[in-house]
Amino acid sequence: EYPNGLCLSPDETRLYVANTRWNKYIHELTLDASGAVAARRIFADMTWNAAPGSPDGIKCDVDGRVYCTGPGGIWVFGPDGVYVGTIEHPKPAVNFCFGGDDMKTLFVCAHDAIYTRRMKMPGLPHPYGATRRR
């Protein structure tokens, strides 16, 4: 309906796409060896929470957990799509990234504020950043 944020799983066999409008969910597209879509499913449904916020920014950590902005904060899902919890901030998150030397700092952007939070698990580095760090 309104695809917006997207990210790849650590092994790049799955593409996650955040649907930002009325039906708040995340699609999971399974990719074959050539990168073509082999299967598609709804990975996570976020419509059950009426708090402010929409799926938009989406990232993975090194263990394959999926983080996505959504109602009430940044939602966290296991690689199997099971809801783990929500990282809350005073204002709704619009986008975010993992950063710092160890990729364990979560930088969160709201409409008029920026938050940081230390994480236990590092985020998946962007391929360009990973090659630059070597």
Side-chain angles (χ1 to χ4, degrees):
E1 292 173 341
Y2 202 92
N4 193 353
L6 56 105
C7 73
L8 289 165
S9 62
D11 64 2
E12 298 187 356
T13 62
R14 289 168 286 166
L15 175 67
Y16 300 103
V17 182
N19 187 59
T20 301
R21 291 295 187 260
W22 309 274
N23 292 323
K24 299 173 182 182
Y25 58 85
I26 301 169
H27 264 119
E28 177 188 79
L29 307 173
T30 303
L31 307 175
D32 65 18
S34 71
V37 175
R40 179 179 119 170
R41 73 177 181 114
I42 292 187
F43 175 77
D45 183 350
M46 303 165 109
T47 58
W48 57 266
N49 188 322
S54 296
D56 188 355
I58 187 168
K59 309 287 184 289
C60 282
D61 69 19
V62 295
D63 283 346
R65 280 181 288 275
V66 177
Y67 299 70
C68 186
T69 60
I74 298 173
W75 292 41
V76 183
F77 300 93
D80 54 2
V82 172
Y83 173 74
V84 174
T86 301
I87 302 169
E88 298 177 347
H89 295 92
K91 296 184 179 183
V94 179
N95 209 337
F96 64 97
C97 70
F98 288 93
D101 289 339
D102 59 2
M103 294 299 286
K104 290 184 180 180
T105 301
L106 189 67
F107 295 91
V108 181
C109 179
H111 286 289
D112 62 353
I114 295 176
Y115 306 102
T116 61
R117 179 180 301 253
R118 288 294 292 166
M119 305 296 287
K120 292 180 180 178
M121 188 60 56
L124 190 64
H126 185 280
Y128 176 73
T131 58
R132 289 192 60 192
R133 290 178 188 202
R134 292 184 188 153

